[in-house]
Amino acid sequence: MNKKVQENITTLHKDISFNGKLVGDEDIIISGRLEGVLQTSQNLTIEKSGIVKADIKSINLVLSGTLVGNVNSKGTVIINKSGRMVGDIKSDKIIINAGAQYKGTILTKGSSKVRSSQKNSPKKNSRLKTKR
């Protein structure tokens, strides 16, 4: 007999409001309202009915609802067509689908490397001297 293993998932249903710091080591799904700080070492989903005003740390984020706050993600941030966000995103990969609304600054791992390498590398022609 095969048993399907259910993952640990915390769900904040659409009729629930939470104000404070929510920290977990499992997937979190927000359908209701959350204000404060949200940290998970796993995935976060903010559904279409979800309204979050918080700074977020997660592996991956899928946003279909509303988010006001900054995101620090080690994986992928996806803002779906119905998603609305105001805040800064720091992530390895960011996908903003057509129809989504976003206002803020985006910093990817690749872009931070480019900036630091540009600061540390000398200009190619700065050491060349011509003889006349």
Side-chain angles (χ1 to χ4, degrees):
M1 181 179 199
N2 292 335
K3 289 186 179 182
K4 188 175 180 180
V5 177
Q6 186 175 354
E7 296 179 36
N8 290 334
I9 299 174
T10 298
T11 303
L12 188 69
H13 294 281
K14 68 179 183 175
D15 296 330
I16 303 293
S17 291
F18 178 84
N19 191 343
K21 185 174 183 178
L22 179 61
V23 179
D25 288 326
E26 56 192 44
D27 290 352
I28 297 175
I29 299 172
I30 306 290
S31 299
R33 295 175 172 263
L34 182 137
E35 187 170 340
V37 176
L38 199 160
Q39 297 176 2
T40 180
S41 61
Q42 300 301 314
N43 302 312
L44 172 64
T45 302
I46 301 173
E47 294 187 333
K48 209 171 189 178
S49 60
I51 299 172
V52 175
K53 294 180 182 179
D55 288 333
I56 293 173
K57 286 186 181 179
S58 67
I59 296 296
N60 297 304
L61 168 65
V62 177
L63 175 64
S64 298
T66 302
L67 171 61
V68 176
N70 300 320
V71 174
N72 188 345
S73 169
K74 293 182 180 179
T76 303
V77 173
I78 300 171
I79 304 176
N80 288 321
K81 178 180 170 180
S82 60
R84 296 179 297 167
M85 181 178 170
V86 175
D88 298 336
I89 300 173
K90 182 178 179 183
S91 182
D92 288 349
K93 184 176 178 183
I94 299 165
I95 300 169
I96 301 175
N97 289 303
Q101 296 176 12
Y102 175 75
K103 181 179 180 182
T105 302
I106 295 174
L107 178 64
T108 61
K109 205 176 219 181
S111 64
S112 65
K113 285 182 184 176
V114 170
R115 287 183 187 154
S116 65
S117 67
Q118 286 175 346
K119 288 179 185 176
N120 296 331
S121 65
K123 293 181 181 177
K124 288 182 180 180
N125 295 329
S126 66
R127 294 185 184 180
L128 297 178
K129 294 185 179 179
T130 58
K131 294 181 182 180
R132 292 186 179 195

